[in-house]
Amino acid sequence: MRNKKFTNVLTLGFALFAMFFGAGNLLLPPLIGVEVGSNYFVAMLAFGLTGILLPFTGILSVVFSGDDFNDLGHRINKHLAAILGTIIMVCIGPLIAIPRTAATTFEVGLKPFFPEMDPLWGSLVFFSVTLILAIRPSKVVDVIGNYLTPVLLVLLSLLIVIGIVHPTADFIPSKLTMMESFSKGFVEGYQTLDVLASVIFAGIIIAAARDKGYTDTNSKSQIVIVSGFLSTTCLLFVYGGLIYLGATSGVTNPAISRAELLIEISRNTLGHYGLIAIALCMGFACLTTAIALTSAVGTFFGRLTNGKLSYTVLVVLCTLISFGLSIKGVDEIINFAYPPLAFVYPITITLVIYIVLFGKIVKSKTPYVFALIASTIIAVLGLLKLLGMFDDATVTSLNKIPFFAYDLGWVVPSIIGFVIGLLMDKLKK
């Protein structure tokens, strides 16, 4: 029995790691290392908050609320799950994350070996495999956890360990302050989309746990939490290693693309074999994430439409849209993604953090609603700032909001909103 449980933890934990670890997770950390240089440890902690701790919190928030994101949203408002869930699924699905997986696979995994290859053909092959494996959702977790992830982890570990033991260069002196380095790591963690994905992936892992016989609340929660802890441990090792490799890469060109930087690090670390290793890593990382996200999109919108759109139709439609957008290229997709992510991230983070911290002791919806309203207002202001809608004087005034200048302006207002909600509840009573 213990051996079976241990095997199930490995399968679910590795599957969750692979679902989280996609294109952005492999591309973003090295560039952070280049930009923060000797402040890499501070940036690593900050990136770990948005790329590791908060996604794990997202899983916990769903586990504490029920079986999927709908149960989490209903803790606050019956319409929240549908509205916020739709925004999240569009972002982590066909609009940003899935196209990025294919574009990254082409630029890092195929282009170095086939420089004349049309990205159209690379995406066609990628999404053909994604569609075949995602069309049977019951097999998604086992295929990813048992077969694809172990290979990915071995290759990444080889690259990171050799890079740490034999660094290419010394740490680059940082031009950023500690706070700027922290902000850089924290905000770049948005681009992983893992907090958004966590509240969706939690439902997939919970369903897989039920299929393996963990049907009662305690055993189901325990297996999912332990599996989540395993995946976060793997992510911490990989992210820390990749940021370290970027900080000791010797690369000083700030204009270098993320794909070129990753290829340069791999070549310097393992020579020609490094290109092969990173190509395989990228292929496995992006494929596992694309399969999981495509499956999640089909499941979510199938339930949202009460089965009027079948899972198969939604998966095919998601694949076709993602295929069309994937040809734009990695950097263009990442640059396009930042404004919508900067808007939806504070709202989602507020939801999962407050549910995990206070969900068992604060049953009233009012404090959570006020915290979300405060975060939403700040998120709208931040989005307008990013789009250049404010003049310098307005931006200066907004920067007086604590941490607003570092894109963390939602933190204090959400706390104030939550406290106001608590006081209103007490006054009513």
Side-chain angles (χ1 to χ4, degrees):
M1 185 67 180
R2 286 187 176 180
N3 288 337
K4 182 181 178 182
K5 186 175 183 179
F6 178 72
T7 302
N8 289 335
V9 167
L10 290 180
T11 299
L12 296 176
F14 284 161
L16 194 56
F17 164 79
M19 289 177 187
F20 282 136
F21 194 79
N25 310 69
L26 194 50
L27 287 175
L28 294 169
L31 189 60
I32 293 174
V34 169
E35 293 179 342
V36 303
S38 55
N39 291 340
Y40 85 97
F41 188 73
V42 173
M44 183 181 73
L45 289 177
F47 190 79
L49 287 176
T50 44
I52 300 175
L53 183 60
L54 288 178
F56 185 53
T57 306
I59 294 171
L60 293 179
S61 68
V62 176
V63 171
F64 293 165
S65 302
D67 289 337
D68 55 36
F69 179 74
N70 287 323
D71 296 322
L72 173 62
H74 289 162
R75 290 286 302 271
I76 313 300
N77 182 277
K78 63 181 181 179
H79 301 298
L80 178 65
I83 297 172
L84 185 57
T86 297
I87 296 172
I88 290 173
M89 288 310 306
V90 169
C91 286
I92 69 172
L95 185 64
I96 299 172
I98 300 177
R100 191 174 67 183
T101 58
T104 307
T105 300
F106 172 75
E107 291 188 19
V108 177
L110 293 175
K111 192 174 180 180
F113 303 97
F114 308 101
E116 303 300 323
M117 186 177 185
D118 192 322
L120 179 71
W121 295 110
S123 291
L124 183 62
V125 172
F126 182 90
F127 282 114
S128 297
V129 176
T130 299
L131 182 61
I132 291 169
L133 294 178
I135 211 73
R136 298 180 64 189
S138 62
K139 298 294 183 182
V140 167
V141 171
D142 285 343
V143 168
I144 292 175
N146 290 336
Y147 303 107
L148 300 181
T149 309
V151 178
L152 170 62
L153 274 173
V154 169
L155 292 172
L156 282 172
S157 298
L158 181 66
L159 177 67
I160 290 170
V161 170
I162 293 178
I164 292 175
V165 174
H166 301 289
T168 304
D170 293 329
F171 287 115
I172 304 167
S174 179
K175 297 179 181 178
L176 304 178
T177 65
M178 285 292 185
M179 189 59 196
E180 288 171 339
S181 298
F182 183 90
S183 175
K184 179 69 180 177
F186 191 93
V187 175
E188 281 293 301
Y190 289 178
Q191 286 282 6
T192 66
L193 287 85
D194 282 350
V195 172
L196 306 185
S198 67
V199 295
I200 305 300
F201 287 162
I204 297 177
I205 294 298
I206 290 171
R210 283 201 309 267
D211 291 341
K212 294 182 182 298
Y214 302 94
T215 53
D216 65 279
T217 302
N218 288 335
S219 65
K220 179 184 66 180
S221 299
Q222 185 184 51
I223 195 75
V224 171
I225 291 172
V226 174
S227 301
F229 183 76
L230 173 61
S231 71
T232 57
T233 303
C234 294
L235 287 170
L236 179 62
F237 166 72
V238 173
Y239 288 156
L242 290 174
I243 291 175
Y244 181 90
L245 294 185
T248 57
S249 65
V251 175
T252 56
N253 177 17
I256 189 171
S257 74
R258 294 169 175 84
E260 290 172 345
L261 174 62
L262 190 59
I263 291 171
E264 180 74 13
I265 290 173
S266 304
R267 185 188 290 114
N268 291 341
T269 304
L270 297 175
H272 178 70
Y273 295 105
L275 295 180
I276 299 173
I278 206 63
L280 291 173
C281 283
M282 187 58 73
F284 282 121
C286 292
L287 186 61
T288 52
T289 299
I291 294 167
L293 290 174
T294 303
S295 176
V297 168
T299 301
F300 179 85
F301 286 110
R303 290 176 180 171
L304 190 64
T305 59
N306 294 318
K308 293 178 181 178
L309 291 176
S310 70
Y311 174 85
T312 302
V313 169
L314 288 165
V315 164
V316 172
L317 185 61
C318 176
T319 304
L320 290 175
I321 295 173
S322 302
F323 170 72
L325 294 175
S326 66
I327 305 170
K328 290 182 175 294
V330 175
D331 286 338
E332 186 175 344
I333 293 173
I334 289 177
N335 292 334
F336 160 78
Y338 187 71
L341 294 181
F343 168 73
V344 73
Y345 242 84
I347 302 170
T348 308
I349 292 174
T350 300
L351 175 63
V352 300
I353 286 180
Y354 285 94
I355 287 294
V356 169
L357 292 179
F358 307 109
K360 291 185 177 181
I361 56 176
V362 179
K363 301 299 182 182
S364 170
K365 295 180 179 181
T366 305
Y368 304 104
V369 170
F370 273 70
L372 285 172
I373 290 173
S375 287
T376 302
I377 292 172
I378 298 299
V380 170
L381 293 174
L383 178 62
L384 294 175
K385 173 189 169 184
L386 281 173
L387 296 177
M389 303 296 288
F390 296 136
D391 56 27
D392 291 342
T394 304
V395 171
T396 301
S397 298
L398 289 173
N399 284 342
K400 294 178 182 178
I401 299 172
F403 309 121
F404 188 88
Y406 301 103
D407 297 318
L408 300 172
W410 54 271
V411 175
V412 174
S414 70
I415 295 173
I416 295 173
F418 191 82
V419 172
I420 290 173
L422 285 174
L423 293 175
M424 288 183 64
D425 272 345
K426 288 188 177 182
L427 289 174
K428 287 179 182 178
K429 292 177 181 178

